[in-house]
Amino acid sequence: MKKIGITFGGGGGFISYYCGIAKYIQKNYDTSNLYFAGSSAGVVSAFLLAINYDIDTAHKQFITPWFQIAKKNYWFAPNSIVSYDLFPTMYSLFKKMFYQKKFLKKIQHRLFIFTTNLDLTKKCFDTYHSMSDVRKIMCCSCALPGVFSSGIGLKYKHNTKFMDGSFPTGVSCLTPNNDINWIPISLTLLGVSDPNFFLLPATLLTWVIADPNINDYLYHLGYQHASKIDLSQIKHLKIQNKFDK
């Protein structure tokens, strides 16, 4: 049987937008045998789909509160969103929702997270020792220097540092070198010239995406735009999906 995967590209603060797309996929397609990959802003959606977590619930109980924490702690500058600067602040939220052995089991060799080495070569992770390990790698994948990270590279472990997985290639999708047929999802493929994307530069500002109205707007916009994606390789759902929590 041919292996199918979905890979999400980068996108600044468009995390909610990608999650809207992920919700559309989760609602209409069978994701049980799919593989997922992501870098930068796309890594959150890839992670949620891989663990089969209800994305509506994650949007309300994880992403929205997380951005509000960012606003509270970084009201003066767009210093951090998904980086080591912020994660210690929202550690309890991530731990409460996602630190479960069943989630760790689901993502082994099925969730591919891209980071960038300091020499600008790529590093792809698909094996994880703990959910803490996953969290740290997600941090690194989103650590865009000077925007979502206050320094050049975030420490993973053993003094190894990584940067944003989409740096410096932009929002284009990355794919592992394997036998999986990947479906790319990125802002460039979905029409970054759309008038609704006037928020793109502004989403680099923590206080902008922390606004619940903007956050919800991007989420629903992503859901609407998902119909543009060719998902013909994926089977439609025959019965309602049961989520893991």
Side-chain angles (χ1 to χ4, degrees):
M1 181 181 296
K2 182 169 62 175
K3 296 179 180 179
I4 306 296
I6 297 175
T7 176
F8 292 86
F14 268 62
I15 296 171
S16 293
Y17 175 81
Y18 278 145
C19 284
I21 295 173
K23 178 58 184 179
Y24 177 89
I25 295 171
Q26 190 179 67
K27 182 178 179 180
N28 295 287
Y29 294 89
D30 181 1
T31 62
S32 59
N33 294 315
L34 297 181
Y35 295 81
F36 301 95
S39 60
S40 194
V43 74
V44 177
S45 296
F47 168 73
L48 293 172
L49 285 171
I51 65 172
N52 192 37
Y53 201 92
D54 180 23
I55 294 176
D56 270 340
T57 300
H59 173 67
K60 295 173 184 176
Q61 298 182 11
F62 173 60
I63 296 170
T64 299
W66 161 25
F67 289 166
Q68 291 172 343
I69 292 172
K71 180 180 180 180
K72 179 180 178 181
N73 289 276
Y74 300 101
W75 61 270
F76 57 93
N79 186 52
S80 180
I81 294 177
V82 195
S83 76
Y84 237 50
D85 299 313
L86 175 63
F87 257 66
T89 307
M90 56 77 64
Y91 166 77
S92 60
L93 182 62
F94 191 94
K95 181 178 180 180
K96 178 182 178 181
M97 296 183 69
F98 305 125
Y99 273 41
Q100 298 186 41
K101 290 183 179 179
K102 63 179 180 180
F103 291 156
L104 184 64
K105 183 178 180 180
K106 278 179 174 291
I107 62 177
Q108 301 297 335
H109 308 295
R110 185 168 174 248
L111 172 65
F112 300 84
I113 300 178
F114 283 94
T115 62
T116 302
N117 294 302
L118 298 188
D119 63 2
L120 301 186
T121 58
K122 299 298 178 182
K123 169 70 175 177
C124 180
F125 292 87
D126 70 333
T127 303
Y128 313 95
H129 303 292
S130 66
M131 291 307 295
S132 176
D133 199 34
V134 177
R135 177 180 63 87
K136 292 176 182 178
I137 296 169
M138 290 174 68
C139 280
C140 292
S141 183
C142 299
L144 182 61
V147 180
F148 299 143
S149 172
S150 58
I152 304 298
L154 295 177
K155 185 183 294 186
Y156 168 47
K157 59 183 178 181
H158 306 308
N159 294 319
T160 302
K161 286 188 174 183
F162 297 103
M163 295 186 291
D164 188 296
S166 294
F167 182 81
T169 54
V171 298
S172 60
C173 294
L174 300 172
T175 56
N177 294 320
N178 52 30
D179 59 349
I180 300 171
N181 187 24
W182 291 97
I183 300 171
I185 298 177
S186 71
L187 297 184
T188 51
L189 294 173
L190 288 164
V192 75
S193 60
D194 188 303
N196 289 317
F197 280 94
F198 70 92
L199 282 171
L200 181 59
T203 57
L204 298 178
L205 301 172
T206 300
W207 64 269
V208 172
I209 65 167
D211 185 306
N213 292 326
I214 294 176
N215 196 21
D216 287 343
Y217 169 77
L218 290 173
Y219 183 65
H220 294 298
L221 186 65
Y223 188 92
Q224 294 171 16
H225 282 189
S227 62
K228 298 180 180 181
I229 306 168
D230 181 4
L231 299 170
S232 58
Q233 300 180 68
I234 310 174
K235 294 180 180 179
H236 281 270
L237 275 176
K238 294 182 179 180
I239 58 175
Q240 187 175 2
N241 192 9
K242 294 182 179 181
F243 303 113
D244 289 316
K245 292 184 179 180

